[in-house]
Amino acid sequence: SIAEKENMATIAVRKKEVARDLDHCDIPYYVSEFVEREVGNDYDSLRKLDDLIDKLSENKKQLEEQVLTVSSEVPKRIQNALKNAEDSKKSLSRLLEEETLLSDSINSHLLKAQPWMEDLDVLISQVEEIERHLSYLKWISRIEELSDSIQQYLMTNNVPEAASTLAFMAELDIKLQESSCSHLLAFVRSTVKFWHKILKDKLSSDFEEVLTQLRWPFVGPPQSQAFGLAAPASAPDVYNNLEMLFCQLLKLQTSDELLTKPKQLPEKYSLPPSPPIILPIQIMLNPLQKRFKYHFTGNKQTNVLNKPEWYLTQVLMWIGNHAKFLDDKIQPILDKAGSAVNAGLEFSRALVMLILEKLAADIPCLLYDDTLFCHLVDEVLLFERELYSVHGYLSSFPSCMHILSEESCFQRWLTVEKKFALQKMDSMLSSEAAWISQYKDITDVDEMKVPDCAETFMTLLLVITDRYKNLPTASRKLQFLALQKELVDDFRIRLTQVMKEETRASLGFRYCAILNAVNYIATVLADWADNVFFLQLQQAELEVRAESNAVSKLQLGQLASMESSVFDEMINLLERLKHDMLTRQVDHVFREVKDAAKLYKKERWLSLPSQAEQAVMSLSSTACPMLLTLRDRLLQLEQQLCHSLFKIFWQMLAEKVDTYIYQEVIMANHFNEGGAAQLQFDMSRNLFPLFSHYCKRPENYFKHIKEACIILNLNIGSALLLKDVLQSASEHETTLKPNQPSPAAALNELGVYKLAQKDVEILLNLRASWPNTGK
């Protein structure tokens, strides 16, 4: 055994001597590893050496064969790669030689062809110039042919074909607009103008004659109109002529638009783009336009600044008087001709343009006369309302609101609107009936108990909204919205000032009326915030603020997600005022309750007779003043405050009374059995029922009192058990005895959820009579 140990030590030393060289292929290391792995310390394994030698010899042979195979294949691959490279090099040399020859040939050819190219360029330029001349002559010839055709048609009285040919000529004129041939353009335009005038004069004359036969225009009421003729038998012929001439005039529309520039108002009015009035409707409008200018321009008695309703009403009458004829007779003609024009709207649009021109001329003359300007705005708004609601005018058309939106006029409108609104606010607040509800005698209607001044103010804001809701741009609407916010804030400040004068009488009628007014305004503004119109304004305000970086990303996110509204700032201020006023009322009543409860606090709770000793339980005499005060104030404020406000009031008051009685009466005294029973009777049979008119379970608003009474009135066994559970839990906070309930579970089983464990322990200690348990 000693020899074996020496041999093993020798092997270990040798093994340590054979270290691996990491930088080179270290054969001794691999051999040592192989021997160690195959032989190790087991000398019996040396018998395997023969098999091991055979196996290694076989591996050596296989490796030698692989090396020979690889060494024979690699030179072949290298040789093939070299051969391919040589072939590619030769091919590239040949291509370079061919490229050089081809380049020389091309250069030589270009030198020879250069004189030919110069000659050809000259010839091509000449050909192109001749082609342009030819094309120019063809255009002239084409226009002359069309002109000759129109002349021939007119000589044969074929007006429809002449009108169609002129329409085609006008289309050619439009196609030539991009040409730089100014003389050709002038020639075409002059030809179109020449024939247009002839055809227009002829057709207009014939069309006006037909209209005269129809007694156009109809200036009387619809029932007095004679759509037919003096001789009804000829009516079909007249209407056939009307249709024929109307269609022929429609064909002149293109040339008329080329030659006639429509009268436009200055750009400051930002009128939306609109197509010219179709030619036949223009002719039908001529007599009405003459009448309008005769009566409402110059020194006529009908043209006075203080009577804008005269010309506004006149235009509405004309639209109404002609609506039936346009729908019945003209619209079918337009439909048959394939036109998308609506006859009634086209007629209305042309007459409205007369109004716009008149307003643009009159407004500068009365801009600084508040009475005249305000009257004009009122009449224009009435006109717009009837125009849209009765006659179906489209909001995409030019309207009077575009004139009122002009900068100087609009700013004046805002100023006047604010001035009259403030005057109205002064008068409504100084009125004798300012704080009285108009519906005080109607219970169903007077649910909000809204004073007259608040209702009148919100009506004022609603009227302002109706006045500006049809403004054409969101920026103008937002300016009016800012005015409304300013008025709300001004009214809130006025209410606050009146409220401060009434602070001493916080339960008085006027104070309650102010509170109802604040609540009503906040409620209505919250309702308006969900209106589609104000939601659209909110989106517009979001875009404006995002562009100007006027608000934080959080505020932008709130606006975009509709978490807030355009009235949020105003509503928050009103809600704060409402809360302050309610708190002042609650504090006032609570002070009275505390004063009335002084004797109740000093009740002899330790010496009261038990329930068994009394025939009938009765209310403590010392509790009467407190409960009477509560009853009277609740009845008073229920009559003076609206339902939602009174609900907040009695809940706030109940919370204060609950805390006060719990802390000042219960926790400040000790109770015998009779005192605890009397307290529970006073609370559950007298205090709680005072609030039963306002909710089904009033005791839930007096949880401190209710649960304290439960603890104080536990029978002695339950009280001892509860006390033991709480003491055990306090002594062993981390572990409970087996089968022992937790303090929370024990309290919940008794109906105690609000009071904490320590509060319950204090209440148990307030019980005066405990049996002697020997502890």
Side-chain angles (χ1 to χ4, degrees):
S1 61
I2 294 172
E4 288 177 358
K5 291 180 180 178
E6 289 178 353
N7 289 335
M8 290 178 69
T10 304
I11 292 170
V13 169
R14 288 178 179 174
K15 185 176 179 182
K16 290 180 181 177
E17 290 176 354
V18 181
R20 183 178 181 182
D21 187 355
L22 299 176
D23 297 331
H24 300 88
C25 181
D26 199 349
I27 293 177
Y29 172 79
Y30 290 112
V31 171
S32 174
E33 285 288 314
F34 179 78
V35 172
E36 182 67 22
R37 185 174 65 254
E38 296 293 336
V39 178
N41 298 328
D42 185 8
Y43 299 110
D44 293 336
S45 62
L46 292 173
R47 298 172 184 172
K48 303 177 184 177
L49 284 176
D50 292 339
D51 296 336
L52 191 62
I53 290 170
D54 293 341
K55 183 178 179 181
L56 289 173
S57 299
E58 183 66 25
N59 287 343
K60 178 183 176 185
K61 184 177 179 181
Q62 289 177 358
L63 290 172
E64 287 175 348
E65 290 176 355
Q66 290 178 4
V67 169
L68 289 173
T69 302
V70 169
S71 62
S72 63
E73 288 179 355
V74 167
K76 291 180 180 179
R77 293 179 182 176
I78 295 173
Q79 187 175 1
N80 289 336
L82 289 172
K83 186 175 182 303
N84 289 336
E86 288 292 335
D87 293 342
S88 299
K89 184 178 179 182
K90 291 177 181 178
S91 176
L92 179 61
S93 298
R94 285 198 303 273
L95 288 174
L96 288 173
E97 290 174 0
E98 290 175 2
E99 186 271 339
T100 303
L101 291 173
L102 185 59
S103 176
D104 293 342
S105 174
I106 290 171
N107 290 332
S108 175
H109 178 73
L110 289 175
L111 287 173
K112 292 179 180 178
Q114 185 64 31
W116 302 345
M117 291 294 295
E118 292 174 357
D119 294 341
L120 281 174
D121 283 342
V122 173
L123 290 173
I124 290 171
S125 298
Q126 292 174 350
V127 169
E128 288 177 348
E129 184 177 0
I130 292 171
E131 285 181 343
R132 286 196 300 273
H133 291 167
L134 183 61
S135 176
Y136 197 95
L137 292 172
K138 284 181 178 179
W139 274 103
I140 294 175
S141 175
R142 181 64 174 147
I143 297 302
E144 287 180 341
E145 286 177 6
L146 293 173
S147 181
D148 292 342
S149 297
I150 294 173
Q151 186 176 9
Q152 291 295 327
Y153 288 136
L154 288 177
M155 290 175 66
T156 57
N157 204 26
N158 191 350
V159 178
E161 287 298 327
S164 299
T165 307
L166 178 60
F168 181 71
M169 188 187 294
E171 291 173 2
L172 294 180
D173 187 331
I174 294 171
K175 290 180 181 178
L176 281 171
Q177 292 305 307
E178 296 180 0
S179 172
S180 58
C181 301
S182 57
H183 295 295
L184 177 61
L185 291 175
F187 170 70
V188 175
R189 181 60 56 85
S190 61
T191 307
V192 170
K193 185 176 181 179
F194 174 80
W195 290 117
H196 176 78
K197 185 177 186 306
I198 292 174
L199 284 171
K200 183 178 178 180
D201 289 347
K202 177 176 178 51
L203 290 174
S204 298
S205 175
D206 295 344
F207 191 59
E208 288 171 355
E209 184 178 344
V210 172
L211 291 175
T212 302
Q213 293 174 5
L214 291 170
R215 298 181 183 178
W216 179 275
F218 312 129
V219 293
Q223 59 268 23
S224 67
Q225 296 171 13
F227 287 140
L229 309 158
S234 62
D237 294 337
V238 175
Y239 283 124
N240 289 335
N241 289 336
L242 175 73
E243 179 179 350
M244 180 186 66
L245 292 168
F246 195 98
C247 291
Q248 291 172 10
L249 284 168
L250 273 180
K251 294 178 181 178
L252 301 186
Q253 184 66 30
T254 305
S255 56
D256 193 67
E257 291 178 12
L258 281 176
L259 302 172
T260 308
K261 288 187 177 181
K263 190 174 182 180
Q264 294 181 341
L265 290 171
E267 291 183 3
K268 65 180 181 178
Y269 295 112
S270 302
L271 296 181
S274 56
I277 305 298
I278 59 173
L279 185 56
I281 297 290
Q282 287 183 34
I283 297 170
M284 295 173 74
L285 281 162
N286 282 335
L288 294 175
Q289 290 173 339
K290 290 178 182 177
R291 285 171 180 267
F292 188 91
K293 291 178 180 178
Y294 176 82
H295 289 291
F296 304 116
T297 58
N299 298 322
K300 303 297 185 299
Q301 293 182 350
T302 48
N303 181 34
V304 284
L305 291 176
N306 62 345
K307 294 294 182 182
E309 61 268 28
W310 286 355
Y311 61 82
L312 293 171
T313 305
Q314 183 64 74
V315 166
L316 288 174
M317 287 176 59
W318 286 342
I319 293 174
N321 292 344
H322 296 87
K324 181 173 175 56
F325 179 81
L326 293 170
D327 289 341
D328 293 349
K329 302 301 180 183
I330 303 301
Q331 190 61 49
I333 301 174
L334 287 168
D335 295 340
K336 189 175 179 180
S339 174
V341 173
N342 181 291
L345 289 177
E346 193 79 350
F347 187 77
S348 300
R349 184 163 66 94
L351 289 177
V352 168
M353 287 306 299
L354 292 176
I355 298 288
L356 303 191
E357 293 170 9
K358 174 67 175 169
L359 287 175
D362 282 0
I363 285 177
C365 302
L366 48 79
L367 200 58
Y368 298 101
D369 187 319
D370 289 352
T371 305
L372 290 180
F373 182 77
C374 194
H375 178 62
L376 173 70
V377 172
D378 289 340
E379 292 297 332
V380 166
L381 293 174
L382 289 173
F383 169 80
E384 288 266 306
R385 187 174 304 161
E386 184 172 347
L387 187 65
Y388 283 101
S389 61
V390 177
H391 302 293
Y393 198 72
L394 299 182
S395 58
S396 58
F397 289 170
S399 72
C400 301
M401 300 305 283
H402 289 93
I403 305 298
L404 295 183
S405 295
E406 188 269 325
E407 184 65 27
S408 60
C409 180
F410 184 77
Q411 293 304 324
R412 188 62 186 161
W413 184 10
L414 275 179
T415 303
V416 172
E417 201 78 46
K418 181 179 179 180
K419 174 185 174 182
F420 282 100
L422 293 175
Q423 289 177 0
K424 183 71 174 175
M425 286 163 59
D426 289 337
S427 64
M428 71 175 72
L429 287 171
S430 59
S431 168
E432 294 181 359
W435 306 108
I436 301 173
S437 172
Q438 296 180 13
Y439 314 105
K440 61 180 180 178
D441 299 325
I442 310 174
T443 307
D444 295 340
V445 180
D446 197 33
E447 184 181 348
M448 295 286 288
K449 292 183 170 61
V450 187
D452 184 60
C453 64
E455 187 168 8
T456 306
F457 175 70
M458 294 313 292
T459 302
L460 172 67
L461 288 186
L462 186 62
V463 169
I464 291 175
T465 303
D466 287 338
R467 289 160 73 83
Y468 79 83
K469 69 190 301 183
N470 290 323
L471 282 168
T473 61
S475 61
R476 295 303 193 200
K477 294 176 185 176
L478 287 174
Q479 287 178 270
F480 257 103
L481 178 64
L483 171 63
Q484 287 181 303
K485 291 180 181 179
E486 186 179 345
L487 292 175
V488 172
D489 199 46
D490 188 274
F491 195 70
R492 178 188 62 83
I493 293 170
R494 293 175 188 231
L495 290 178
T496 306
Q497 291 170 346
V498 180
M499 179 270 294
K500 289 179 179 178
E501 296 172 2
E502 301 293 326
T503 302
R504 292 178 180 269
S506 58
L507 303 183
F509 167 75
R510 179 173 288 194
Y511 191 92
C512 291
I514 295 169
L515 185 50
N516 287 329
V518 172
N519 179 67
Y520 174 70
I521 295 171
T523 303
V524 173
L525 289 180
D527 290 341
W528 285 3
D530 295 329
N531 184 281
V532 174
F533 174 71
F534 288 108
L535 289 174
Q536 291 171 343
L537 284 189
Q538 179 175 340
Q539 180 62 30
E541 187 175 36
L542 171 68
E543 294 171 1
V544 171
R545 290 189 178 188
E547 290 176 2
S548 61
N549 297 319
V551 293
S552 66
K553 290 184 178 179
L554 174 61
Q555 289 172 309
L556 284 176
Q558 289 173 339
L559 281 170
S561 62
M562 300 300 174
E563 291 179 11
S564 61
S565 71
V566 290
F567 295 113
D568 263 13
E569 187 177 351
M570 299 295 101
I571 294 173
N572 291 338
L573 291 172
L574 290 166
E575 288 291 338
R576 190 183 307 167
L577 176 59
K578 180 178 81 174
H579 181 266
D580 291 345
M581 293 180 72
L582 275 172
T583 303
R584 190 174 286 112
Q585 286 187 323
V586 171
D587 291 343
H588 185 283
V589 174
F590 183 61
R591 281 195 302 271
E592 292 183 351
V593 171
K594 285 197 299 182
D595 290 341
K598 287 179 179 178
L599 292 176
Y600 193 63
K601 287 171 57 179
K602 299 176 181 179
E603 185 69 65
R604 297 170 62 192
W605 302 104
L606 267 174
S607 57
L608 292 176
S610 66
Q611 190 171 0
E613 297 173 9
Q614 301 182 58
V616 178
M617 290 287 289
S618 61
L619 174 65
S620 301
S621 59
T622 53
C624 289
M626 175 183 71
L627 296 178
L628 284 171
T629 302
L630 270 174
R631 184 199 66 181
D632 294 343
R633 290 312 187 190
L634 287 171
L635 288 173
Q636 177 188 351
L637 289 169
E638 184 182 14
Q639 292 175 355
Q640 293 182 349
L641 293 178
C642 71
H643 175 72
S644 60
L645 286 175
F646 179 68
K647 182 179 179 181
I648 299 171
F649 168 81
W650 73 255
Q651 289 178 357
M652 291 172 66
L653 181 61
E655 183 181 359
K656 278 184 168 291
V657 171
D658 179 45
T659 305
Y660 174 74
I661 292 178
Y662 175 71
Q663 292 178 349
E664 301 295 329
V665 177
I666 298 175
M667 299 296 279
N669 290 285
H670 286 76
F671 296 83
N672 66 356
E673 184 182 348
Q678 185 63 50
L679 175 70
Q680 186 170 31
F681 182 81
D682 292 343
M683 297 296 105
S684 62
R685 300 293 296 277
N686 294 279
L687 175 64
F688 298 168
L690 281 178
F691 294 85
S692 62
H693 299 289
Y694 318 124
C695 62
K696 291 182 179 180
R697 300 180 63 83
E699 63 273 13
N700 289 337
Y701 293 92
F702 297 91
K703 289 184 178 179
H704 289 95
I705 297 175
K706 183 181 89 169
E707 295 179 3
C709 287
I710 291 173
I711 300 299
L712 293 175
N713 286 278
L714 282 175
N715 60 51
I716 196 67
S718 299
L720 283 170
L721 182 60
L722 177 62
K723 193 172 186 179
D724 183 54
V725 169
L726 296 180
Q727 285 179 349
S728 299
S730 299
E731 292 170 1
H732 309 89
E733 292 183 1
T734 56
T735 60
L736 291 173
K737 296 178 182 179
N739 301 322
Q740 181 177 342
S742 66
L747 291 173
N748 292 349
E749 188 176 350
L750 295 172
V752 177
Y753 301 92
K754 180 78 173 177
L755 297 179
Q757 178 182 337
K758 291 183 179 180
D759 293 334
V760 175
E761 291 175 355
I762 294 171
L763 286 168
L764 288 171
N765 290 329
L766 295 179
R767 292 170 62 110
S769 54
W770 288 99
N772 187 3
T773 59
K775 293 184 179 180

